[in-house]
Amino acid sequence: MSATTLRLGGWLSLPVRRRSVVVGGALAAGIVVIALLSLTLGRLGIAPADLMPAILGHSTGPDAIVFEVLRGPRLVVGIAAGAAFGVSGALFQTVTRNPLGSPDVIGLTSGASAGAAAFGLLWTGILPLPVGALVGALAAMALVWLGTGRGFSSPARMLLVGIGVSAMSLAFVQYAITRVGVEQATVLASFLNGSLASRTWGHAALIWVSVVVLLPCALLTTRRLQLMEMGDEQADALGARSAPARSWAVLIAIGLATAAVSVAGPVAFIALTAPQIARRLTRSAGPNLVLSALMGAFLLTLADLLTQQSPFAVQLPVGVLTAVIGGIYLGYLLVAQWKKGTV
Amino acid sequence: MEASAASKPAGRLAGLGLRLAYDRRVVVPDLSVEIPDGGFTIIVGPNACGKSTLLKALSRTLKPEAGTVLLEGAPIDSYRSKAVARQLAMLPQSPIAPESITVRDLVARGRYPHQGLLRQWSAADERAVTGALESTASMELADRYVAELSGGQRQRVWIAMVLAQQADLLLLDEPTTFLDIAHQYEVLELCSRLHAEGRTLVAVLHDLNQAARYATNLVVMKEGRIVAEGDPREVLTAALVEEVFGLPCVIIPDPEAGTPLVVPKVPA
Ligand SMILES: Nc1ncnc2c1ncn2[C@@H]1O[C@H](COP(=O)(O)OP(=O)(O)O)[C@@H](O)[C@H]1O
Ligand SMILES: [Mg+2]
């Protein structure tokens, strides 16, 4: 069998799949490489020899500014926000038993855009943009909860209502932009696409604390979520109590996605694609939370590196790039599901 | 509801005065049933009469609006959920196979009620999974993906998952549906062997002749009520089949097993 058991004394024994360990190690290494590249490449790049002093805060001059202000926070936010999106998508997909279930499709990210538009364009000065996004995301989720008529207990209804809420939110964004005129709306443009430009260590702290607190909570529900993949009834019959597990998972997923959206904007499709790619690479069932986190971090930092350094995408908001890649993937997924008759 | 010592059912699993509903739509108004220990109980009845609903209530996956399910004489919700799952295993009518899961991993999921948060895999788990694969003749499928299996193989694997749970009470909802006739009998023979080994089985079946052949206790339901129950040789009469299913028929002895055989009449 391709799994071994990790043992520690008599009290710990966890089955570990070798393939998952290999994929996870490769992704972690990939993230390190991307991190090094994004700090060293380009006109302002820190020379490799000066990297360590810069990270430790010993350097002065341009390197200090590049690390402390321009690239360091951006990278650190990107890693955690990508991980948060990845885990959030994995949780939503498991709970809805549908690869389309993700904060993008279910209305959360569009709700964040609507919140940002509301407080950034229409009612300015009341709330800062990230908080506005947070409020929008939570309001959208409240609408989904009310709209299904039975909370988050029915996956199909959750998806349908979510798509509706998503459409409404985007319509609201358009309305807000038309109200204030396009010139003013440009201040919001980069946020609405999702961007990691000009992040601060404050953003980094917010998203890292969210991930460090919520990821372990999510891991505690993994086993019950695995059983829920076989249907709530089967999970209940195995003693896994699906109803509270579902509520927990949805709350954690909302928490992670809203945190990520409030620091990075509604970056498209990372949450949708990361868990799916992780699942295909590891060829294993289950929510694959740790791998989804690594994959999300890898994809987002990679996309951001491309927007910073590639000649084609220079200084585009990273969300534009992920939207293009994710859109293609979403199309593929829909066609595949259509063929299987499970849309 | 408190069962007095005198009226306490003899069986390990029983439902008393059950009222079962979905979103207040009552499917079973008032039903009591006792599952004989060590028996093979088969539930039959027309579509939508509440067979699956009853099984869900007995396995605690549906909470009754009124009445109690007793497990070992105590209300089933006085146990912890994993403790129930160690005594009682249930295979729903249409279980969902997760995407990209191997047979062995699926069967291993049946071990959940025996595992803890930190102790997720033990030698006993390994033995139970191997045993379940062997007794369903699915050992050679262990490393295949469930999605690649034929209907008959898949059903054997689901039963293996339930067996890995190592519960003495097995509830199976329509384990033979969608199988061709040879595979139907293969599953029934497997059930019958599990029963002979000492387990208590409850299954929902559609084929009355199969039910009559394998059941030690036949439960006939109609519109949320039990119309008849007991030894199939006594219970299954032409009048009952006509009343419950609206099918005029004659009953003759099964030339092979001697159990009742339902032969529909040719419409005049
Ligand atoms: N999850 C559910 N939600 C609402 N109604 C249901 C649900 N499951 C079953 N029902 C209804 O309850 C009735 C009995 O269903 P069921 O117990 O599945 O019948 P059977 O298994 O005898 O065919 C049917 O009318 C069915 O439509
Ligand atoms: Mg049924």
Side-chain angles (χ1 to χ4, degrees):
Chain A
M1 186 162 69
S2 59
T4 34
T5 308
L6 177 72
R7 284 178 210 286
L8 205 66
W11 54 274
L12 182 78
S13 57
L14 302 172
V16 179
R17 312 178 116 268
R18 267 179 232 136
R19 203 181 163 92
S20 304
V21 173
V22 171
V23 173
L27 282 173
I31 294 168
V32 171
V33 170
I34 292 171
L36 292 176
L37 290 178
S38 66
L39 293 175
T40 53
L41 283 184
R43 195 165 50 81
L44 290 172
I46 305 170
D50 300 332
L51 198 56
M52 221 43 217
I55 291 173
L56 295 175
H58 297 328
S59 62
T60 48
D63 279 358
I65 294 172
V66 170
F67 181 77
E68 299 285 335
V69 181
L70 293 179
R71 295 192 182 174
R74 179 174 193 155
L75 174 68
V76 171
V77 168
I79 291 173
F85 277 127
V87 174
S88 169
L91 290 171
F92 271 125
Q93 287 172 2
T94 310
V95 163
T96 57
R97 281 190 283 278
N98 191 318
L100 294 176
S102 88
D104 307 297
V105 177
I106 224 150
L108 191 146
T109 30
S110 330
S113 303
F119 293 101
L121 298 179
L122 293 184
W123 312 310
T124 47
I126 304 175
L127 288 176
L129 212 60
V131 182
L134 201 120
V135 169
L138 294 179
M141 287 299 93
L143 277 181
V144 173
W145 195 86
L146 292 172
T148 59
R150 46 175 83 166
F152 295 134
S153 69
S154 157
R157 289 184 187 210
M158 215 168 131
L159 279 178
L160 286 178
V161 177
I163 290 169
V165 168
S166 189
M168 277 163 42
S169 310
L170 293 178
F172 180 82
V173 173
Q174 291 308 320
Y175 163 77
I177 291 176
T178 353
R179 274 293 294 277
V180 301
V182 178
E183 295 80 52
Q184 260 181 288
T186 49
V187 296
L188 208 60
S190 93
F191 181 85
L192 286 183
N193 287 314
S195 168
L196 290 171
S198 29
R199 300 297 90 182
T200 65
W201 292 115
H203 293 120
L206 173 71
I207 187 66
W208 273 93
V209 168
S210 309
V211 170
V212 167
V213 171
L214 292 175
L215 182 57
C217 296
L219 288 174
L220 288 180
T221 66
T222 309
R223 307 208 64 220
R224 293 202 273 163
L225 292 178
Q226 274 182 351
L227 299 182
M228 283 161 63
E229 286 187 307
M230 302 187 284
D232 291 359
E233 246 170 65
Q234 181 70 81
D236 288 336
L238 285 166
R241 292 190 300 137
S242 62
R246 171 187 305 281
S247 308
W248 265 117
V250 170
L251 287 179
I252 295 167
I254 290 176
L256 284 167
T258 40
V261 164
S262 67
V263 297
V267 178
F269 292 127
I270 297 285
L272 181 77
T273 48
Q276 290 294 316
I277 300 176
R279 176 188 286 252
R280 277 174 177 65
L281 285 180
T282 55
R283 294 199 209 126
S284 75
N288 285 319
L289 295 179
V290 173
L291 285 167
S292 301
L294 289 168
M295 182 58 80
F298 176 80
L299 290 178
L300 186 55
T301 47
L302 179 66
D304 194 44
L305 178 67
L306 288 179
T307 62
Q308 290 182 76
Q309 303 299 344
S310 104
F312 311 107
V314 186
Q315 304 312 343
L316 268 180
V318 66
V320 175
L321 197 64
T322 61
V324 171
I325 300 168
I328 294 169
Y329 178 75
L330 180 64
Y332 157 80
L333 207 63
L334 278 171
V335 171
Q337 286 213 32
W338 187 266
K339 281 186 186 154
K340 278 200 300 183
T342 55
V343 165
Chain B
M1 197 195 288
E2 189 77 354
S4 73
S7 73
K8 202 168 197 170
R12 224 177 321 169
L13 182 66
L16 295 180
L18 295 178
R19 178 184 167 86
L20 309 176
Y22 298 100
D23 296 330
R24 296 210 191 79
R25 197 170 79 80
V26 177
V27 174
V28 171
D30 178 14
L31 180 151
S32 295
V33 67
E34 194 178 313
I35 306 301
D37 265 351
F40 188 170
T41 298
I42 295 182
I43 305 176
V44 296
N47 287 330
C49 72
K51 306 180 294 293
S52 300
T53 305
L54 174 60
L55 235 49
K56 287 183 215 170
L58 290 177
S59 64
R60 211 177 79 156
T61 54
L62 178 75
K63 195 173 166 49
E65 292 221 319
T68 338
V69 173
L70 295 177
L71 179 64
E72 306 279 5
I76 198 166
D77 39 53
S78 67
Y79 295 88
R80 300 183 61 104
S81 23
K82 279 188 177 180
V84 172
R86 286 192 290 265
Q87 300 185 57
L88 183 158
M90 145 106 159
L91 184 61
Q93 189 167 343
S94 35
I96 306 162
E99 235 185 286
S100 54
I101 190 167
T102 62
V103 168
R104 189 189 296 272
D105 285 352
L106 185 80
V107 175
R109 291 191 173 185
R111 295 300 296 163
Y112 175 79
H114 298 271
Q115 297 165 339
L117 188 61
L118 297 175
R119 294 207 47 186
Q120 296 187 359
W121 198 249
S122 66
D125 293 328
E126 189 70 49
R127 278 195 303 278
V129 169
T130 309
L133 285 169
E134 270 164 3
S135 58
T136 52
S138 332
M139 202 46 151
E140 75 277 5
L141 304 175
D143 294 316
R144 302 259 305 268
Y145 283 93
V146 175
E148 303 167 349
L149 303 182
S150 72
Q153 291 172 325
R154 200 172 301 176
Q155 199 59 27
R156 283 199 335 249
V157 166
W158 279 113
I159 294 176
M161 193 212 71
V162 172
L163 288 181
Q165 221 172 313
Q166 291 185 319
D168 280 334
L169 280 156
L170 298 184
L171 313 188
L172 309 172
D173 198 350
E174 300 199 17
T176 56
T177 306
F178 303 123
L179 300 183
D180 66 39
I181 190 158
H183 286 110
Q184 288 181 16
Y185 279 96
E186 188 184 276
V187 167
L188 288 167
E189 283 298 321
L190 171 61
C191 292
S192 155
R193 192 155 45 76
L194 296 170
H195 169 234
E197 287 166 11
R199 287 196 181 76
T200 302
L201 264 73
V202 183
V204 172
L205 290 187
H206 270 305
D207 187 313
L208 294 179
N209 297 329
Q210 291 174 345
R213 180 181 281 196
Y214 287 95
T216 62
N217 179 43
L218 187 69
V219 173
V220 185
M221 285 182 70
K222 184 189 181 185
E223 290 166 6
R225 289 181 177 78
I226 293 181
V227 196
E229 62 186 312
D231 185 336
R233 291 164 202 258
E234 288 153 23
V235 167
L236 205 59
T237 61
L240 181 81
V241 175
E242 167 120 40
E243 181 205 331
V244 172
F245 293 93
L247 179 76
C249 66
V250 292
I251 306 261
I252 58 169
D254 180 335
E256 195 62 30
T259 49
L261 188 69
V262 177
V263 181
K265 284 185 176 165
V266 177

